[in-house]
Amino acid sequence: MNKLLLGAVFFMVSNVICAQQLRLNEKNVDQILKAMTLEEKAQLLVGVSQNLVNGAAGAVAGFPQFGIPSAILADGPAGLRIDWKRDGDRNSYYTTAFPVGSCLAASWDVDLARQVGAAMGNETKEFGCDVLLAPGMNIHRNPLCGRNFEYLSEDPVVSGKIAAAIVHGIQSSGVGASVKHFVVNSQEDARQSVNEIVSQRALREIYLKGFEIAIRESNPWTVMSSYNRLNGPFTQENYELLTTLLRDEWKYKGMVMTDWTDPRNTVAQVHAGNDLMEPGHKEQVQQIIDGVKNGKLSIEEVNRNARRILEFILKTPKYHGYKFNNKPNLKAHAALVRIGGAEGMVLLKNENGVLPLSSNVKTAALFGSASYYSMSCGLGSGTVNPDHVVNIVDGLADAGISCTKDLQELYAEMHRFEDARHAMERGDDYDWKPGRVQYSEFELGDNAIRSQANKADIAIFTLGREATEGSDRPVTGNNGFNLTDLEIRMLKNVCREFHALGKKVIVVINSGSVIQTANWKDEPDAILLAWQPGEECGYSVADVLTGKVNPSGKLPMTWVEDVKDHPSTKNFPMKDGCNLSESLHKEGIDVGYRYFNTAQKQVSYPFGYGLSYTSFSYSKPVVKKTKEGFRATLVVSNTGNRSGREVVQMYVSAPKGNLKKPANELKAFAKTKTLNPGEKQVLSFDVSNYGLASFDDALDQWISDKGIYVVKFGASVEDIRAEAKYNLKKAFVKKVNDILKPNKVL
Ligand code: BGC
């Protein structure tokens, strides 16, 4: 008996000593997994709360006895979101508000996206975090999605390429990225429960394609599975999605974490290949332990997921003992934001070359609350706490354009009133802060507007829209897709009074998402879409309005005349309309320009559209076969008299085959450097035969039919400037798994 006891004590002590000596490194992951108890592994799979970095979203459990530190995960897509102040600490922890996703994508500039990613990654690392939960890259299925400002595009190639560049940038700084939300999280209302029912074709070609591109090209450390269900099960519990597709087909080796949910079917999540549960709940640990004990989960599955978490930990700054300084170079990052914001801006209208503003314009009457409280980003986890946001009024002043003081004072008075009212109503709601929220609009009478027209050289009318995670955008009302009657009346009256005196009106749109334009765009002389361009908003706007920067952004999504024009609107679960428990993707692949361009339905501004202060010509393109597909080249020349950059989009029309295809599909794009007048640049575009393929649900295969592909080069999907041909002599076919079938007839 005594001997036995002695033996047991010896065994325990030697185990403790062994464990103490065993510290995680690249070569001993197997050993660590052997040494960890089931309880420890279960805990590794379930996130924990942390108090190392206030305001960071979550953490992975640490095990000091194995040399496993606790890694910190923080939002988000427009820059690091942490609390800017900490109890009992007099330092501040402001971070940079970078351009939101839709703005960055509108630059069509992968180098810029990489630089912005690198700066965001640097802040993540210097504030002691290990992963930035970005980029958000769900497809803009419908303009009403509350988080479209965080996301990139309606097109998977734009989404995939820009996301890959952001991931490359973030990870070049030594922290991880998390591409999210995998997948079809294209709406916010009922996002935790809705079943997105999508055909295999639309899923593969539209919703998965961007992720496929980003994951294959940039190998993000982590992927975040979404809140919603997809064709039945939650994505987080979907083995076909997280293992058959992501790991087996796409060969992804990184870590998958859940979006921040309450406990669901933890056993199913682990089995599906969802490595980490976030934010993590105690009962999930027990559910994993019980799952193994009662045979619902195998220990191999637990080990498989734990291994992926350990392999992730090995890459983190925490593991490498990085000494962060809480002092990234915010000044340098602000300078990048100023450039990046301006690069994403899209000039929608410029009648008679009213822009850039002539140096005679000295005084502007600024209408619209967002002229004075401009929005750098949106609300929710994609928000940021910067130390400043440059309002449009201040950016213009810095560029030598002052605003009429009485109008400014009037707006200030209204905003003071609104602040006081909100302080009373919402208490200390942290989101009620200038730089993110939309102040109300109010109406001015004709006399007041006329007196402004007398005083100012020009009117600048800012239309602001705030949007938020957690709910979709309404069609009408404040912050709706449509302008309010008050906004339309004001805009018309301002145009009438200013035009009567021969003075111009410029509209600036300060919104991360699409708004209605068709019913008022004829009124003003120019329209600049500024998005939510980050903390230097006012400077970036002034740079474009004054011509310091020649606009080169192009729309990464269609701007429709009416929100109902999107086929998806019928099925988009609006609070006051459809059934919120399921979202039937009856429109299939008819998303964005794929529908409008093919159906030749008029839109307000087409996909890929954007004006410049100069003009460009495209040469005759040359198409040459490569091992994988083809390479096209063409020469772009600046034919105007200002320096500028051009985004060239390459669309392809496929030969007739068994599948109905969109008239034109974007397959590649490129942006020139800044070209001086008369200067030229050769751009090249690579496409593989796989990249040309469509998905055939019936045969579970990707197919590019043989025949002639018309390769088109456009300044937008409706402005094709040059064409060439590619002859695919033998059909390309790639058989894949028959997975992710809709659980209901569409
Ligand atoms: C959002 C994620 C975010 C997470 C952590 C969730 O509500 O959907 O995008 O990363 O919260 O804050």
Side-chain angles (χ1 to χ4, degrees):
M1 186 67 184
N2 270 354
K3 260 191 191 163
L4 257 182
L5 198 67
L6 218 65
V9 169
F10 175 76
F11 180 73
M12 274 161 61
V13 170
S14 61
N15 259 358
V16 169
I17 291 172
C18 271
Q20 268 172 357
Q21 286 163 350
L22 196 58
R23 301 189 70 74
L24 177 69
N25 67 44
E26 257 139 37
K27 295 196 189 94
N28 69 3
V29 174
D30 281 333
Q31 251 177 304
I32 298 271
L33 286 173
K34 258 198 202 128
M36 287 179 98
T37 61
L38 172 61
E39 286 70 17
E40 286 167 335
K41 285 185 232 182
Q43 179 60 77
L44 182 65
L45 267 48
V46 177
V48 289
S49 59
Q50 57 83 35
N51 52 14
L52 294 174
V53 183
N54 291 31
V60 185
F63 299 85
Q65 66 274 33
F66 296 112
I68 302 172
S70 172
I72 312 282
L73 319 168
D75 290 303
L80 183 68
R81 178 177 67 98
I82 56 175
D83 294 345
W84 68 271
K85 61 178 176 189
R86 297 178 184 175
D87 285 346
D89 180 344
R90 286 166 57 188
N91 297 311
S92 48
Y93 297 84
Y94 291 112
T95 57
T96 303
F98 291 91
V100 298
S102 51
C103 179
L104 199 52
S107 73
W108 299 63
D109 183 342
V110 287
D111 285 334
L112 174 75
R114 192 188 36 72
Q115 284 175 49
V116 167
M120 296 196 298
N122 170 268
E123 294 193 14
T124 306
K125 189 168 175 187
E126 291 308 344
F127 281 112
C129 303
D130 298 278
V131 171
L132 185 69
L133 302 169
M137 54 175 302
N138 293 98
I139 288 292
H140 289 205
R141 175 188 178 207
N142 188 280
L144 299 180
C145 171
R147 290 183 90 170
N148 279 356
F149 70 91
E150 289 184 59
Y151 303 153
L152 305 169
S153 174
E154 69 187 20
D155 178 84
V157 172
V158 179
S159 294
K161 296 279 178 187
I162 297 286
I166 298 171
V167 172
H168 273 305
I170 294 172
Q171 297 190 168
S172 72
S173 293
V175 293
S178 188
V179 294
K180 67 186 189 183
H181 311 86
F182 194 58
V183 64
V184 206
N185 188 177
S186 290
Q187 71 185 63
E188 285 300 287
D189 286 350
R191 63 181 176 165
Q192 300 261 9
S193 54
V194 67
N195 183 15
E196 301 282 347
I197 305 179
V198 198
S199 71
Q200 288 169 300
R201 178 172 184 193
L203 200 51
R204 293 255 186 188
E205 285 183 26
I206 309 287
Y207 297 96
L208 288 168
K209 196 57 166 181
F211 282 98
E212 182 183 356
I213 294 171
I215 288 169
R216 287 194 201 269
E217 290 189 6
S218 66
N219 197 15
W221 291 8
T222 80
V223 169
M224 188 189 291
S225 55
S226 56
Y227 280 131
N228 52 286
R229 293 174 181 273
L230 169 63
N231 292 340
F234 284 112
T235 56
Q236 306 179 342
E237 297 170 8
N238 196 329
Y239 184 90
E240 291 185 344
L241 179 72
L242 300 183
T243 296
T244 316
L245 181 92
L246 183 63
R247 316 283 186 179
D248 300 345
E249 281 190 26
W250 295 357
K251 312 285 175 231
Y252 178 63
K253 301 254 177 318
M255 176 177 90
V256 175
M257 69 177 91
T258 62
D259 198 347
W260 268 233
T261 43
D262 287 339
R264 289 176 170 176
N265 186 340
T266 311
V267 165
Q269 290 172 323
V270 175
H271 168 71
N274 212 318
D275 307 311
L276 178 67
M277 316 296 145
E278 283 295 336
H281 302 269
K282 276 214 179 87
E283 59 265 48
Q284 291 172 307
V285 179
Q286 196 54 48
Q287 283 159 1
I288 296 172
I289 297 168
D290 294 346
V292 174
K293 291 198 171 146
N294 63 28
K296 288 197 175 132
L297 208 53
S298 72
I299 188 67
E300 286 74 27
E301 288 170 317
V302 172
N303 283 342
R304 175 197 65 184
N305 296 7
R307 172 188 303 281
R308 292 197 285 240
I309 297 177
L310 294 181
E311 284 167 355
F312 152 77
I313 294 286
L314 281 166
K315 297 187 263 197
T316 58
K318 259 321 156 311
Y319 172 79
H320 292 286
Y322 182 73
K323 302 251 176 306
F324 56 93
N325 60 19
N326 285 324
K327 286 194 175 43
N329 191 341
L330 297 183
K331 252 197 159 157
H333 294 170
L336 177 62
V337 172
R338 180 172 182 162
I339 297 168
E343 283 291 306
M345 290 182 189
V346 182
L347 184 61
L348 296 177
K349 177 176 181 181
N350 193 16
E351 216 159 77
N352 302 322
V354 53
L355 294 176
L357 295 173
S358 94
S359 52
N360 297 334
V361 173
K362 298 276 182 237
T363 315
L366 301 186
F367 297 92
S369 283
S371 299
Y372 302 93
Y373 275 132
S374 311
M375 283 168 280
S376 65
C377 60
L379 295 167
S381 63
T383 207
V384 185
N385 297 309
D387 62 357
H388 70 276
V389 173
V390 180
N391 298 311
I392 292 174
V393 60
D394 302 317
L396 288 169
D398 188 67
I401 301 171
S402 58
C403 70
T404 48
K405 286 290 160 249
D406 50 351
L407 190 54
Q408 179 171 20
E409 194 33 54
L410 186 60
Y411 272 95
E413 200 55 53
M414 299 303 284
H415 295 152
R416 272 194 290 275
F417 166 76
E418 197 158 344
D419 280 343
R421 189 165 56 88
H422 274 280
M424 248 181 197
E425 276 174 7
R426 288 160 70 151
D428 59 355
D429 185 332
Y430 85 104
D431 268 342
W432 181 249
K433 281 205 188 123
R436 292 187 288 248
V437 292
Q438 167 62 12
Y439 283 80
S440 307
E441 298 299 346
F442 59 93
E443 192 156 5
L444 284 173
D446 291 350
N447 285 342
I449 297 175
R450 199 165 304 135
S451 92
Q452 291 300 312
N454 277 314
K455 280 181 217 157
D457 301 320
I458 200 161
I460 296 180
F461 197 121
T462 308
L463 291 169
R465 284 293 181 276
E466 124 198 342
T468 182
E469 172 179 346
S471 64
D472 290 321
R473 301 166 60 215
V475 179
T476 56
N478 294 336
N479 273 315
F481 175 88
N482 291 349
L483 264 56
T484 60
D485 292 346
L486 184 152
E487 284 172 319
I488 301 252
R489 268 199 314 274
M490 271 286 280
L491 183 58
K492 288 196 168 159
N493 292 344
V494 167
C495 289
R496 191 191 58 240
E497 296 302 332
F498 276 73
H499 288 162
L501 298 183
K503 295 180 181 179
K504 307 292 184 195
V505 179
I506 316 290
V507 169
V508 175
I509 301 174
N510 184 196
S511 165
S513 326
V514 181
I515 63 167
Q516 179 189 43
T517 46
N519 57 344
W520 57 265
K521 67 180 180 181
D522 290 342
E523 304 281 337
D525 303 276
I527 307 172
L528 176 67
L529 168 56
W531 310 102
Q532 288 166 325
E535 64 187 28
E536 303 293 286
C537 177
Y539 290 143
S540 306
V541 167
D543 287 346
V544 175
L545 293 183
T546 59
K548 194 168 161 194
V549 172
N550 188 347
S552 60
K554 304 237 182 173
L555 297 176
M557 76 297 276
T558 309
W559 280 52
V560 281
E561 294 199 329
D562 187 310
V563 76
K564 291 201 199 79
D565 294 343
H566 275 277
S568 60
T569 302
K570 273 195 232 88
N571 311 310
F572 196 76
M574 284 182 282
K575 283 187 197 86
D576 48 356
C578 331
N579 173 4
L580 276 176
S581 67
E582 57 187 29
S583 181
L584 294 167
H585 288 236
K586 288 198 175 169
E587 74 278 5
I589 61 164
D590 280 343
V591 176
Y593 72 87
R594 282 174 168 72
Y595 166 71
F596 297 107
N597 186 245
T598 310
Q600 298 190 348
K601 182 150 178 73
Q602 190 166 315
V603 298
S604 194
Y605 296 107
F607 177 80
Y609 171 86
L611 301 173
S612 166
Y613 297 152
T614 187
S615 52
F616 299 95
S617 73
Y618 299 7
S619 73
K620 206 173 155 27
V622 175
V623 168
K624 287 209 170 113
K625 265 201 161 55
T626 57
K627 224 169 109 217
E628 308 265 294
F630 69 88
R631 162 171 286 200
T633 46
L634 102 167
V635 182
V636 177
S637 313
N638 183 345
T639 50
N641 45 23
R642 274 177 177 271
S643 302
R645 303 181 70 191
E646 172 70 332
V647 173
V648 179
Q649 301 144 45
M650 199 195 84
Y651 298 92
V652 168
S653 300
K656 218 172 155 25
N658 287 339
L659 297 175
K660 218 171 127 230
K661 302 246 266 185
N664 291 294
E665 281 191 289
L666 186 87
K667 295 297 172 189
F669 60 89
K671 188 166 187 174
T672 66
K673 61 180 182 163
T674 301
L675 297 175
N676 293 324
E679 203 179 344
K680 299 176 193 317
Q681 187 182 348
V682 180
L683 295 181
S684 51
F685 307 78
D686 287 302
V687 180
S688 66
N689 293 332
Y690 176 50
L692 292 176
S694 295
F695 190 74
D696 189 335
D697 300 328
L699 299 173
D700 314 316
Q701 64 187 23
W702 288 97
I703 167 126
S704 308
D705 288 303
K706 69 172 186 189
I708 304 287
Y709 288 76
V710 186
V711 184
K712 304 175 180 175
F713 298 84
S716 85
V717 69
E718 289 186 6
D719 182 7
I720 302 298
R721 306 263 182 96
E723 283 187 12
K725 290 197 164 71
Y726 169 60
N727 187 358
L728 181 62
K729 297 222 168 91
K730 190 170 157 261
F732 168 92
V733 176
K734 184 176 174 180
K735 191 98 188 145
V736 293
N737 297 295
D738 181 17
I739 48 173
L740 302 167
K741 285 193 208 146
N743 61 331
K744 191 167 179 175
V745 179
L746 280 163

